[in-house]
Amino acid sequence: MGKTLYEKIYDRHIICNIKNNINLLYIDRHFIHEVTSPQAFQELRNKNRKVYRSNKTFATMDHNVSTKIKDINASSYIAKKQMETLIKNCNDFNIKLYDIYNPKNGIVHVIGPEQGLTLPGMIIVCGDSHTSTHGAFGSLAFGIGTSEVEHVLATQTLKQERAKNMLININGNISKNITAKDIILSIIRKVGISGGNGYIIEFNGNVIKKLSMESRMTICNMSIEMGAKSGLIAPDNITLSYLKNKKFAPKKYLWKKALEYWKTLYSDCNAKFDKIINIDITKLTPQISWGTNPEQIIGINENIPLINSYKNHNKKKLAIKALKYMALNEGIKLINIKINKVFIGSCTNSRIEDLRIAAKVVLGKKISPHVTAIVVPGSNVVKEQAEKEGLDKIFKNAGFEWRYSGCSMCLAMNDDKLQPGERCASTSNRNFEGRQGRNSRTHLVSPLIAAITALYGCFININ
């Protein structure tokens, strides 16, 4: 019997069996940030332990940094304390830190790939659920809790139960105005927010093979929203072209050796998947969330489902609650629903490709006078590239605010948040109640739809 891509990576990293399907795995790369790491370092000190392989851990400041100014003092007391603690911990334990003054600083799931720290075949962990982003490179990447962060720091290992295998084949033709964000939102709508529980999802199909690395990262980033442990895509020539000459990617002889291994990273033709889903996106329309979880999605030209159309009692209750929170009615379209803010950013959609798409839409135009719109690049590298291409001027001339990098309004841990009752077209990944501020209302969309919505001040049917 052949092996899936997940099984190949998992098996290669087994140090020893603990019991049944639970094994101790070696961890190749560990990313940390200011929010979920302080307690882990404190426990190391309490137990008089050191970081076992400090050169395998990399840190950044991203979750609660100010996007208005590069100054720790501009943040709240708690945020400032977390960042100062991260600086001390990285200094004490000899860990590389991309602080807010570092020219390579940015969101952890953006800077890892762009620095070549994310490589095929690795097991990558971070105290953040959207670590699945790195799976786009053919790595096994998943989020971990604070106690697990401590364990990885102390041992460079982690106990993990073997997961089930799911394959999602995405085929068809990519229509005009359709992006990776629309594709993954439509998949979450189909599979559901718990459909991936217990699975590692591999994405394949002719559509995946056409996508850029930025788009593949968007796909894998949101696999966690289906309840999956992670998502991954087999590396190919697009992957290798992206990684070649990145700072931490192998060089010369080591690159050739790495290629030999990376080219074995695919699911064998006789590999067994526990579940296979086939999706044709040819007729897909731009997707938008109407409710308070990423499963509550419709095409932008569709109606919000009728409550009685739900056969599942729990989903019906969630829909009723979501409609009340979002101040919407069943059966209506979202067309002409006014929005207050537009957010283009997050680890889902803040890369240069995303900014180019949005900038092309707003070039030479002005946003609606009642809309506040911000663009938050995913890293300093993305910001500099965008400015080199003149994208910052396009956004500013259109009325957008051009910010420094950070997680920003995705989770509203800094000053970038909605006021109670405000409605936002957001390129982020979660639309939970209060996610972007107390009593905030979030609509998940692609960068293209976010940009168009900013111009009109409401959702429109671009088809």
Side-chain angles (χ1 to χ4, degrees):
M1 179 67 69
K3 290 185 176 183
T4 65
L5 172 56
Y6 162 63
E7 289 167 341
K8 287 182 178 181
I9 299 173
Y10 183 99
D11 290 349
R12 186 181 174 95
H13 288 77
I14 294 175
I15 297 170
C16 65
N17 176 257
I18 296 175
K19 65 176 180 179
N20 301 326
N21 281 329
I22 301 175
N23 296 284
L24 187 68
L25 304 181
Y26 180 77
I27 305 302
D28 297 292
R29 186 76 74 225
H30 185 198
F31 294 121
I32 60 174
H33 56 80
E34 74 273 22
V35 177
T36 57
S37 65
Q39 302 93 326
F41 282 107
Q42 188 56 50
E43 284 302 303
L44 290 183
R45 290 188 176 92
N46 293 344
K47 298 168 185 174
N48 197 28
R49 288 174 174 164
K50 297 179 180 179
V51 173
Y52 180 63
R53 297 289 299 274
S54 61
N55 64 329
K56 299 292 184 180
T57 297
F58 292 80
T60 190
M61 297 174 177
D62 59 0
H63 275 57
N64 52 27
V65 301
S66 171
T67 63
K68 297 177 181 178
I69 185 173
K70 286 287 185 181
D71 186 354
I72 289 178
N73 295 311
S75 300
S76 68
Y77 172 79
I78 293 177
K80 179 183 176 183
K81 187 70 174 176
Q82 287 177 329
M83 287 186 274
E84 290 173 341
T85 300
L86 184 63
I87 292 172
K88 175 175 172 51
N89 288 334
C90 289
N91 286 336
D92 289 352
F93 291 93
N94 194 31
I95 291 171
K96 172 68 177 176
L97 170 62
Y98 292 90
D99 65 22
I100 62 172
Y101 307 109
N102 189 302
K104 308 300 182 186
N105 169 258
I107 301 173
V108 62
H109 308 312
V110 176
I111 69 171
E114 71 185 13
Q115 292 302 309
L117 290 164
T118 301
L119 298 172
M122 282 185 165
I123 292 186
I124 299 172
V125 297
C126 175
D128 184 274
S129 57
H130 292 100
T131 306
S132 55
T133 307
H134 306 265
F137 292 83
S139 61
L140 175 56
F142 50 88
I144 57 176
T146 298
S147 62
E148 292 174 308
V149 171
E150 177 196 351
H151 195 279
V152 175
L153 289 172
T155 69
Q156 206 58 39
T157 68
L158 200 60
K159 181 175 69 174
Q160 284 292 299
E161 184 174 6
R162 192 182 292 272
K164 293 184 290 185
N165 288 275
M166 182 188 295
L167 174 64
I168 298 182
N169 290 312
I170 310 171
N171 292 300
N173 299 313
I174 305 174
S175 302
K176 182 182 178 182
N177 299 328
I178 297 302
T179 70
K181 184 65 164 291
D182 302 298
I183 295 170
I184 191 60
L185 286 176
S186 71
I187 293 173
I188 298 169
R189 176 186 182 181
K190 178 182 178 67
V191 176
I193 55 174
S194 60
N197 286 357
Y199 288 95
I200 299 289
I201 300 176
E202 180 178 345
F203 298 97
N204 207 334
N206 75 289
V207 169
I208 290 295
K209 290 177 172 61
K210 296 174 187 175
L211 296 180
S212 66
M213 287 313 302
E214 287 86 354
S215 290
R216 294 179 188 185
M217 282 187 263
T218 296
I219 297 286
C220 288
N221 173 275
M222 292 195 70
S223 59
I224 190 72
E225 307 307 335
M226 290 179 270
K229 180 78 171 179
S230 187
L232 71 171
I233 295 169
D236 58 13
N237 288 334
I238 293 175
T239 318
L240 304 183
S241 296
Y242 179 96
L243 289 172
K244 192 171 179 61
N245 298 320
K246 289 284 191 288
K247 181 177 179 180
F248 287 94
K251 304 294 190 299
K252 298 180 180 178
Y253 170 74
L254 293 177
W255 174 261
K256 293 180 180 179
K257 290 293 290 183
L259 289 183
E260 292 178 11
Y261 170 49
W262 294 346
K263 289 179 179 179
T264 70
L265 295 175
Y266 56 86
S267 290
D268 297 325
C269 59
N270 58 342
K272 182 183 182 299
F273 286 91
D274 300 284
K275 189 171 186 179
I276 298 176
I277 297 174
N278 296 306
I279 294 175
D280 188 325
I281 66 157
T282 302
K283 296 181 179 180
L284 186 67
T285 58
Q287 303 288 289
I288 179 172
S289 69
W290 59 266
T292 54
N293 72 55
E295 176 185 333
Q296 293 172 329
I297 301 289
I298 56 175
I300 200 160
N301 58 334
E302 294 181 76
N303 292 33
I304 294 174
L306 296 171
I307 294 300
N308 287 334
S309 68
Y310 287 95
K311 306 305 179 187
N312 181 287
H313 178 67
N314 185 51
K315 289 188 177 183
K316 180 182 287 189
K317 284 176 60 179
L318 290 174
I320 293 171
K321 185 181 179 185
L323 287 172
K324 182 178 180 181
Y325 182 84
M326 295 294 290
L328 296 170
N329 297 316
E330 62 176 317
I332 69 166
K333 294 183 185 295
L334 290 176
I335 305 304
N336 296 324
I337 294 290
K338 286 190 175 182
I339 55 97
N340 308 100
K341 286 187 168 68
V342 169
F343 169 56
I344 298 176
S346 84
C347 62
T348 311
N349 284 126
S350 64
R351 297 172 181 85
I352 190 64
E353 176 180 276
D354 303 308
L355 303 193
R356 287 169 181 159
I357 290 171
K360 186 176 180 180
V361 170
V362 303
L363 176 63
K365 302 180 177 70
K366 295 288 185 182
I367 65 173
S368 176
H370 74 266
V371 170
T372 298
I374 67 173
V375 179
V376 184
S379 70
N380 286 345
V381 171
V382 172
K383 185 174 185 290
E384 289 172 7
Q385 179 62 35
E387 290 172 350
K388 183 178 179 181
E389 297 177 18
L391 304 188
D392 60 320
K393 292 183 176 63
I394 292 174
F395 285 119
K396 287 188 283 189
N397 288 341
F400 283 79
E401 296 177 26
W402 179 250
R403 300 289 190 84
Y404 291 106
S405 66
C407 293
S408 185
M409 201 182 286
C410 174
L411 73 172
M413 289 185 72
N414 63 3
D415 291 336
D416 302 338
K417 60 185 67 177
L418 303 184
Q419 295 304 308
E422 285 191 323
R423 196 177 296 276
C424 180
S426 177
T427 66
S428 52
N429 43 52
R430 287 180 172 161
N431 54 333
F432 305 153
E433 292 185 14
R435 174 74 176 183
Q436 294 188 301
R438 185 169 59 87
N439 293 329
S440 59
R441 295 166 180 157
T442 302
H443 294 276
L444 302 178
V445 293
S446 70
L448 183 142
I449 295 300
I452 292 173
T453 304
L455 297 178
Y456 286 86
C458 63
F459 298 116
I460 68 165
N461 184 358
I462 65 171
N463 294 318

